[in-house]
């Protein structure tokens, strides 16, 4: 392997790094994000606290798998917010109050 | 190392099992306490006042609208799910930190052994990111398991990019799955975007014999090249368009380097027909060298094994820049490419036609089914409408008569 390192470098031929365009249709499916959404929905609308924690775990897995170059931060933030809201609403007594209000106790 | 991995897996499994056990035990206790409270309420029914009975009922059964909400009965342990969830999240976080650190160690080992090779060949070598700081760590962490590297400023090529795609050690779920079904291995992909004028029309690949069938289809190797009788370490084979180019590139030194790391070479692909995006390049370069290598087992400790292969990309760039085809060979190559384009266009056209015909047939079938389900009046109306439409289209298609 003959190499002439002294002549090889050419600073004038430097090409700056360019981020290749990301095809939104090409991005691989985020199953954990989807699972987090489903479990979060079950936790918040059906009051199933058994779903709230797996939703949080799935959200963590989804976040840890994100690639910075292809990250959609709005989507990730939305997923985290939804997951936390579902966890909070499951425990805040919101559902009890609602059911009592429906019965006319409050 | 293997024992450590199995040990950590066993520990994680134990933690998960204990969390599940705690969850189920506390649920059982909660259920038992609820039953006790209910029994107490029933026995008190005969001795207490109506107010006391109402209070006891509310405490035992809880709010019917809350579904699986924790019951408010005194003495119960309703925090089973919470405990299990918190433990699972804590274990995941712990594994994330440890896994990220282990991947970082592998990246550091790669920098220790390979960065110097590229730094002496390229004017700029550093992290594969748009805004790299001076003196920063030479690898850009794109994810916890993916590191990128970019070098530019060398004769013969525009840029070189390397992607370290490591096993997802940070992902506990994937780690547990990989223990049963070994999945993604640590891999290194090096891509060199050649200057368009510095490479003759050439398609060449060095790959394992067992990958030949798949690669021939995916990379369209046999469309341009054929198997070359070059002596390579087993199980590697060479497919090339020009035998002369193969012998120029695969010198004794290159073959020796391949022989040292024969288990780590997955694919070396040189093509002027690239249709895959290259890291660091906005527009897709057509002339590309692509090296797909596996990292050695326990990469952080054995990264030195891969160092001889790091000299191959730049050596190939020099060899390709020096390699010139004869006018006859070039004309032959260009004819092959034109034929390939024609074949592809014809195939695409045939495929489009087939798809169109399928759609038409499907639509016709649906219309027939719908017509079969119509009543007589509806059928008459449909026929009239179809006749009108046919007349209209015939009038449009016919010769235009100038009105005087």
């Amino acid at each position: 392997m003959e190499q002439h390192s002294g002549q090889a470098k050419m600073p004038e031929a430097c090409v700056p790094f360019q981020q290749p365009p990301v095809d939104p249709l090409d991005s691989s499916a985020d199953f954990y994000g989807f699972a987090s959404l489903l479990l979060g929905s079950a936790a918040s609308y059906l009051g199933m606290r058994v779903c709230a924690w797996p939703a949080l775990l799935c959200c963590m897995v989804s976040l840890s798998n994100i690639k910075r170059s292809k990250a959609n931060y709005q989507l990730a933030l939305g997923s985290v917010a939804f997951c936390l809201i579902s966890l909070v609403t499951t425990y805040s007594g919101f559902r009890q109050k609602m059911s009592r209000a429906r019965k006319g106790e409050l | 190392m293997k024992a450590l991995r199995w040990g950590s897996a066993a520990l994680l499994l134990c933690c998960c099992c204990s969390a599940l056990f705690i969850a189920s035990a506390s649920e059982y206790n909660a259920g038992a306490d609820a039953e006790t409270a209910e029994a107490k309420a029933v026995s008190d029914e005969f001795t207490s006042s109506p107010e006391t009975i109402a209070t006891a009922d509310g405490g035992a059964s809880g709010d019917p609208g809350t579904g699986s909400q924790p019951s408010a009965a005194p003495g119960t342990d309703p925090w089973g799910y919470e405990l299990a969830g918190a433990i699972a999240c804590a274990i995941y976080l712990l594994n994330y930190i440890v896994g990220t650190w282990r991947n970082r160690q592998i990246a550091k080992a790669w920098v220790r052994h390979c960065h110097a090779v590229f730094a002496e060949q390229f004017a700029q070598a550093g992290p594969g990111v748009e805004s790299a700081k001076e003196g920063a760590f030479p690898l850009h962490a794109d994810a916890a398991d993916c590191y990128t590297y970019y070098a530019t400023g060398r004769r013969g090529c525009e840029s070189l990019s390397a992607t370290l795609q490591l096993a997802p050690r940070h992902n506990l779920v994937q780690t547990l799955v990989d223990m049963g079904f070994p999945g993604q291995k640590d891999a290194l992909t090096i891509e060199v975007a050649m200057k368009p004028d510095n490479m003759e029309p050439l398609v060449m690949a060095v790959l394992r014999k067992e990958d030949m069938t798949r690669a021939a289809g995916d990379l369209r190797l046999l469309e341009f090249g054929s198997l070359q009788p070059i002596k390579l370490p087993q199980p590697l084979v060479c497919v090339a368009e020009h035998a002369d180019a193969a012998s120029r590139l695969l010198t004794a030194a290159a073959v020796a380097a391949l022989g040292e790391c024969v288990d780590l070479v997955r694919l070396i692909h040189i093509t002027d027909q690239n249709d895959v995006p290259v890291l660091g390049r906005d527009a897709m370069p057509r002339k590309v060298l692509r090296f797909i290598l596996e990292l050695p087992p326990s990469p952080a400790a054995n990264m030195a094994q891969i160092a001889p292969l790091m000299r191959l990309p730049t050596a190939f760039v020099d060899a390709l820049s020096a390699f010139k085809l004869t006018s006859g060979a070039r004309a032959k190559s260009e004819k092959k490419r034109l034929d390939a384009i024609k074949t592809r266009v014809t195939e695409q056209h045939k495929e489009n036609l087939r798809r169109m015909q399928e759609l038409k047939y499907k639509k016709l079938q649906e219309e027939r089914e719908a017509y079969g389900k119509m009543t007589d009046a509806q059928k008459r109306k449909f026929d009239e409408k179809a006749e009108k439409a046919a007349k209209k289209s015939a009038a449009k298609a016919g010769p235009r008569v100038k009105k005087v």
Side-chain angles (χ1 to χ4, degrees):
Chain A
M1 281 181 276
E2 280 180 40
Q3 289 191 345
H4 313 285
S5 59
Q7 303 154 6
K9 282 186 185 179
M10 285 175 70
E12 66 277 11
C14 283
V15 184
F17 183 91
Q18 296 154 332
Q19 194 66 50
V22 179
D23 183 3
L25 298 174
D26 192 35
S27 59
S28 54
D30 181 14
F31 294 110
Y32 291 109
F34 184 61
S36 159
L37 199 72
L38 285 184
L39 290 166
S41 305
S44 105
Y45 296 120
L46 305 175
M48 296 168 73
R49 69 193 175 112
V50 69
C51 292
W53 289 93
L56 185 66
L57 193 67
C58 285
C59 187
M60 283 166 71
V61 177
S62 167
L63 278 183
S64 69
N65 284 343
I66 282 181
K67 277 194 176 184
R68 284 182 200 173
S69 57
K70 294 177 183 175
N72 186 344
Y73 288 108
Q74 282 179 342
L75 202 71
L77 198 69
S79 175
V80 173
F82 183 74
C83 188
L84 289 178
I85 287 168
S86 70
L87 194 70
V88 170
T89 50
T90 316
Y91 286 97
S92 63
F94 176 72
R95 289 188 59 77
Q96 283 120 308
K97 280 179 193 168
M98 284 298 286
S99 61
R100 279 179 199 158
R102 249 183 254 130
K103 283 179 202 166
E105 285 176 22
L106 287 176
Chain B
M1 200 66 192
K2 204 174 179 183
L4 185 73
R5 198 178 169 195
W6 277 107
S8 61
L11 188 71
L12 287 174
L13 270 174
C14 284
C15 290
C16 291
C17 290
S18 59
L20 281 173
F21 176 73
I22 291 167
S24 58
S26 55
E27 277 303 298
Y28 176 76
N29 285 342
D33 286 344
E35 274 172 22
T36 319
E38 205 174 325
K40 200 185 168 199
V42 169
S43 65
D44 287 353
E45 204 173 359
F46 300 102
T47 55
S48 310
S49 63
E51 287 81 16
T52 327
I53 294 164
T55 320
D57 273 342
S61 59
D63 192 351
T66 52
S68 61
Q69 287 292 321
S71 63
T76 56
D77 180 16
W79 303 110
Y81 290 131
E82 290 70 20
L83 202 60
I87 288 175
C89 289
I91 291 169
Y92 188 85
L93 271 178
L94 194 72
N95 183 72
Y96 179 82
I97 293 164
V98 173
T100 310
W101 177 81
R102 282 176 67 194
N103 278 348
R104 181 92 179 163
Q105 293 306 310
I106 295 170
K108 277 183 181 171
W110 187 83
V111 167
R112 217 168 29 245
H113 291 101
C114 307
H115 173 54
V117 179
F118 296 122
E120 75 178 23
Q121 292 286 326
F122 290 85
Q124 283 178 14
V129 68
E130 274 166 330
S131 52
K133 287 175 192 164
E134 281 287 323
F137 183 61
L139 282 173
H140 165 65
D142 195 25
D145 58 346
C146 181
Y147 289 83
T148 56
Y149 182 82
Y150 183 75
T152 182
R154 192 190 188 278
R155 64 157 183 248
C157 66
E158 286 180 350
S159 66
L160 175 145
S161 58
T163 309
L164 267 173
Q165 186 62 56
L166 305 173
R169 293 177 177 83
H170 65 289
N171 187 346
L172 178 67
V173 181
Q174 198 60 46
T175 309
L176 290 175
V177 170
D178 282 354
M179 282 174 182
F181 311 96
Q184 193 183 332
K185 289 180 181 173
D186 300 312
L188 169 69
T189 304
I190 297 176
E191 291 171 313
V192 183
M194 292 291 289
K195 281 182 182 162
D197 310 332
N198 271 38
M199 189 175 146
E200 294 284 343
L202 173 69
V203 172
M204 180 182 149
V206 174
L207 67 166
R208 292 175 192 171
K209 208 181 268 179
E210 63 263 26
D211 295 340
M212 183 73 185
T213 326
R214 185 180 50 79
D218 291 352
L219 307 173
R220 294 184 281 125
L221 285 179
L222 297 177
E223 197 175 325
F224 298 104
S226 57
L227 210 62
Q228 298 297 327
I230 291 175
K231 205 173 179 187
L232 287 174
Q234 284 297 327
L236 295 178
V237 289
C238 174
V239 179
E241 189 178 357
H242 307 292
D244 192 21
S247 56
R248 284 258 193 127
L249 288 172
L250 298 170
T251 56
V255 173
L258 286 175
E260 277 179 48
C261 322
V262 69
D263 297 334
L264 307 179
V265 179
R266 211 184 286 169
L267 174 71
I268 297 174
H269 187 212
I270 299 161
T271 181
D272 66 326
Q273 301 287 308
N274 177 52
D275 50 7
V276 181
V278 172
L279 181 77
R281 308 264 31 91
D282 189 8
M284 197 186 302
R286 291 291 281 170
K287 296 182 176 179
V288 165
L289 273 70
R290 188 169 283 114
F291 291 70
I292 302 177
L293 311 169
E294 278 175 19
L295 295 186
S298 311
N302 303 326
M303 193 60 86
Q305 282 181 27
I306 209 166
L309 286 177
M310 294 301 108
R311 296 202 175 273
L312 280 183
T314 45
F316 278 16
V317 168
D318 286 338
L320 283 169
S321 302
F323 174 69
K324 296 288 171 214
L325 284 173
T326 58
S327 56
R330 191 179 295 120
K332 210 176 160 184
S333 295
E334 277 161 11
K335 193 176 174 295
K336 259 187 197 176
R337 274 149 188 76
L338 270 177
D339 288 345
I341 291 169
K342 273 181 196 169
T343 317
R344 220 170 301 146
V345 168
T346 318
E347 275 173 13
Q348 189 71 39
H349 184 65
K350 275 182 188 170
E351 179 65 26
N352 286 349
L353 271 179
R354 193 186 58 80
R355 217 175 287 164
M356 286 277 283
Q357 275 175 350
E358 258 180 26
L359 276 175
K360 268 187 184 175
Y361 181 72
K362 212 175 170 184
K363 206 178 168 186
L364 202 71
Q365 287 279 81
E366 278 172 7
E367 271 181 11
R368 272 182 193 166
E369 274 175 22
Y371 190 78
K373 286 173 189 170
M374 282 178 190
T375 59
D376 287 344
Q378 279 175 332
K379 274 181 186 172
R380 212 175 305 122
K381 208 173 176 183
F382 182 84
D383 288 339
E384 276 171 14
K385 217 175 180 181
E387 207 174 306
K388 257 185 193 177
K391 267 182 190 173
K392 210 174 178 182
S393 62
K396 262 188 187 175
R400 286 193 174 185
V401 182
K402 204 176 179 183
K403 284 180 185 173
V404 182

